[in-house]
Amino acid sequence: MYDLLIITYVYEELYKCFGASTVIGTLLFSLGLIFRVIGGYVFGKFADIYGRKVVLNLGTAGYSLSQVLLALSPNVFILLLARSLQGLFMGAQWTAGTVIAYENAPVSMRGIINGIVQAGYGLGYALTGLVYIFFSTNWRMFLLTGAIPIFLVPYILAKVNDVKTFRKENIKAQANIADYLSVIIRSTIVISGMFFSYYSIFAVYPEFLESIQISKDYVGFLMFLSNVLLAVSFIAFGRASDKFSKRKLIMYGVIGEMIGLPFMLAVIEQSSFITFGLLLYTIATGFWPLAPLLIVESVPIEVRGMLTGLTYNLGSIIGGIGSIIMGALVNSFGIVSAGKWGLIMGYASLAIIFLTLATWKSSNVLSRVQRSNI
């Protein structure tokens, strides 16, 4: 997530360099999310047939090289193209990485293992804040640091094993998608809601903090601290999900976000209240790793990569739409208005998540492959 969110720090520099507007900035953010769903679906289907490891490598190399193009872009067109390619390959990397970790983990530890994997989101965002402190005056160099994961490809090739339970013969079985339609729809709603509430706010959040006289250094520090805590919270929620209901844990997280939201959006314009609200919100957001597990645990292996990639990244499209809406509103009413719009959009989407989970009914449908093994 380092690469996905790094763009939010340099909107002002992009506006100056390319004469772009706030809408272009949030469009850049959205394209990364929108193309993730294409990459998640297409490469997820590929991973279901040929294995997860090859897709993991391709995705990691692809989004790293796309980041280089993004950093060196000579104009807005190349900037938008690079961002789209980055999202495409990130969809591949996320889908393969999440599924390969889940399927190789012991059953009793799948929650915490998934939490550790997803903690990369928080750590990545935390690193953007830390690196920004040192590269805030050189936006191209700052963006270029997002290409560092390219050096992980040799390690993945040498050390990462493909999914233990993956079998080529699984492609011969055809899962009946209609059997899983209810859980697919509800999972998509939950994931869409969490993306919409989060990205509509964080697409402009560093810029918003600076607009209310929070220094750039303190913004970087806040992003670093809050996302270190987010990573820890991912692991904690993951561990708790091995023992308690994932659905209820997500609902508790949503309540925590609702409490922290007005503080982080500066309803009270004091740095101490903003800090408290941001930390509470990000700790409560630790339920995120549990959301994809709702779909991973409910669909068969022969379509798991495709449906997990589709559902999770389809939610990211909704998040992308949220960031575009926020960009348009900020463009019309000013960046300071982001606090007000963030409250409206945040509470609306969080309420939808809560209501969907409150009416959730578990599915006991088995895949044909699973039935044949009983």
Side-chain angles (χ1 to χ4, degrees):
M1 287 301 165
Y2 182 99
D3 309 77
L4 182 67
L5 295 166
I6 194 172
I7 197 74
T8 63
Y9 289 85
V10 297
Y11 287 156
E12 185 177 349
E13 287 75 12
L14 295 178
Y15 304 155
K16 292 177 182 177
C17 183
F18 300 114
S21 66
T22 301
V23 174
I24 292 295
T26 50
L27 178 59
L28 277 170
F29 186 82
S30 302
L31 283 173
L33 301 176
I34 291 169
F35 273 83
R36 272 180 59 181
V37 71
I38 300 174
Y41 178 78
V42 173
F43 287 105
K45 192 172 183 178
F46 186 89
D48 286 332
I49 299 173
Y50 299 105
R52 326 298 191 196
K53 184 175 178 178
V54 61
V55 175
L56 181 61
N57 278 293
L58 182 61
T60 303
Y63 80 71
S64 298
L65 294 175
S66 299
Q67 185 71 23
V68 175
L69 182 60
L70 189 72
L72 302 179
S73 296
N75 53 55
V76 172
F77 175 78
I78 299 298
L79 202 66
L80 294 171
L81 175 62
R83 181 63 170 176
S84 301
L85 290 173
Q86 183 189 53
L88 186 75
F89 286 110
M90 190 169 288
Q93 191 277 342
W94 183 92
T95 300
T98 299
V99 175
I100 203 171
Y102 173 84
E103 291 179 338
N104 274 300
V107 174
S108 63
M109 297 182 64
R110 281 178 170 172
I112 189 171
I113 294 297
N114 186 64
I116 292 171
V117 171
Q118 300 302 321
Y121 178 98
L123 291 176
Y125 202 175
L127 286 174
T128 62
L130 182 63
V131 174
Y132 184 64
I133 294 174
F134 299 99
F135 291 100
S136 60
T137 59
N138 190 332
W139 68 270
R140 289 189 186 274
M141 184 60 68
F142 178 55
L143 291 181
L144 199 58
T145 61
I148 292 175
I150 191 70
F151 297 107
L152 293 175
V153 173
Y155 174 83
I156 296 171
L157 286 169
K159 298 293 184 179
V160 175
N161 295 320
D162 213 337
V163 183
K164 294 177 181 177
T165 56
F166 179 82
R167 296 288 186 273
K168 288 287 182 66
E169 58 266 23
N170 286 337
I171 65 174
K172 298 177 181 178
Q174 296 296 317
N176 185 0
I177 303 302
D179 290 341
Y180 309 94
L181 190 59
S182 175
V183 71
I184 290 171
I185 292 174
R186 288 180 177 272
S187 296
T188 302
I189 291 173
V190 171
I191 293 170
S192 296
M194 75 184 197
F195 271 125
F196 189 90
S197 63
Y198 192 90
Y199 286 137
S200 61
I201 295 169
F202 281 92
V204 297
Y205 194 63
E207 187 181 4
F208 167 70
L209 291 181
E210 291 177 20
S211 75
I212 57 174
Q213 308 308 311
I214 304 294
S215 71
K216 286 188 175 183
D217 286 348
Y218 194 66
V219 170
F221 169 74
L222 277 180
M223 294 298 99
F224 174 74
L225 177 61
S226 64
N227 283 283
V228 167
L229 292 177
L230 178 62
V232 173
S233 184
F234 278 174
I235 297 172
F237 268 86
R239 180 55 179 156
S241 73
D242 288 325
K243 299 181 178 180
F244 305 104
S245 165
K246 295 177 180 63
R247 183 178 64 88
K248 291 182 179 179
L249 287 171
I250 296 174
M251 293 173 71
Y252 296 148
V254 169
I255 293 172
E257 286 186 332
M258 288 180 168
I259 295 172
L261 197 59
F263 294 100
M264 66 174 284
L265 290 175
V267 170
I268 302 175
E269 289 192 17
Q270 293 183 13
S271 60
S272 58
F273 283 100
I274 293 171
T275 301
F276 164 76
L278 178 60
L279 297 184
L280 176 58
Y281 183 92
T282 51
I283 290 172
T285 304
F287 72 80
W288 270 31
L290 310 188
L293 288 183
L294 294 176
I295 188 72
V296 170
E297 294 183 345
S298 302
V299 300
I301 189 173
E302 61 266 28
V303 291
R304 184 173 290 155
M306 178 183 68
L307 291 183
T308 301
L310 176 64
T311 302
Y312 190 84
N313 291 298
L314 186 60
S316 75
I317 286 187
I318 305 301
I321 293 172
S323 69
I324 292 175
I325 293 172
M326 178 64 83
L329 291 170
V330 166
N331 196 52
S332 298
F333 299 98
I335 186 62
V336 177
S337 70
K340 175 177 65 178
W341 303 122
L343 284 173
I344 295 172
M345 297 164 72
Y347 276 122
S349 51
L350 291 174
I352 291 172
I353 296 173
F354 193 88
L355 289 174
T356 300
L357 290 168
T359 57
W360 188 289
K361 292 182 180 180
S362 60
S363 174
N364 294 317
V365 181
L366 295 175
S367 73
R368 294 183 182 182
V369 169
Q370 289 170 314
R371 291 189 192 107
S372 65
N373 290 332
I374 294 178

